[in-house]
Amino acid sequence: MKDLALIFGFAVALLSGTNVNAMPSAEQPADSRNRIPIDLYIVRLEPPVKVLVVPSKEIVKIGKFADSEINIDCKNFEGHPVYSLIYIRHDMSLNDIVDSLCESFDVEGIEYHEDYITEETFSKIFPSFKRKL
């Protein structure tokens, strides 16, 4: 019965789109502790709009914009109509970011992934933030 509960929990985690390999920091292998946790939000449009949030570095990236807070008032973003202000902060909750993106792009749901990147990858994505490493 205990094994069945573990299998069910694993299946739910896979279907939820979260990273099953995420472990508390004390249990992470040594190489994972040197990585930076990230959150990736994907607005399911064609082409998709991707939002990268790096809470530990206080950075949000959408398109060519990267800062601790994104506040874009436009009618069109990367070829997609925008229905309300695109507003995302590095410290917003998952639900707040999803709600904001759904409202901005008038979509029903957002794809979400948790992962890690290396400091080298971070430096390539955010070259102007290298000094903060």
Side-chain angles (χ1 to χ4, degrees), residues 22-41:
M23 299 180 272
S25 59
E27 297 175 13
Q28 290 179 352
D31 63 333
S32 290
R33 280 181 263 167
N34 295 326
R35 294 185 177 203
I36 301 166
I38 61 163
D39 299 320
L40 177 64
Y41 299 83

Side-chain angles (χ1 to χ4, degrees), residues 19-130:
N19 185 354
V20 177
N21 294 325
M23 299 180 272
S25 59
E27 297 175 13
Q28 290 179 352
D31 63 333
S32 290
R33 280 181 263 167
N34 295 326
R35 294 185 177 203
I36 301 166
I38 61 163
D39 299 320
L40 177 64
Y41 299 83
I42 302 173
V43 181
R44 291 178 235 160
L45 297 169
E46 195 53 48
V49 175
K50 296 179 181 177
V51 178
L52 179 65
V53 180
V54 188
S56 64
K57 301 290 184 180
E58 300 181 357
I59 297 174
V60 175
K61 181 177 185 333
I62 180 171
K64 61 184 176 194
F65 303 99
D67 207 335
S68 64
E69 180 178 286
I70 301 295
N71 192 347
I72 304 170
D73 190 6
C74 61
K75 296 199 182 295
N76 186 305
F77 184 81
E78 295 185 352
H80 303 292
V82 176
Y83 299 92
S84 70
L85 178 75
I86 300 171
Y87 182 71
I88 307 158
R89 286 186 333 266
H90 73 278
D91 60 351
M92 288 172 75
S93 72
L94 182 145
N95 288 338
D96 288 342
I97 292 174
V98 167
D99 289 346
S100 180
L101 291 171
C102 285
E103 186 176 321
S104 295
F105 292 99
D106 193 30
V107 294
E108 292 295 318
I110 303 294
E111 193 174 324
Y112 171 74
H113 303 276
E114 291 179 331
D115 208 344
Y116 293 89
I117 58 174
T118 64
E119 290 184 4
E120 180 181 348
T121 301
F122 177 84
S123 294
K124 287 178 184 175
I125 296 171
F126 304 100
S128 62
F129 291 94
K130 282 183 184 179

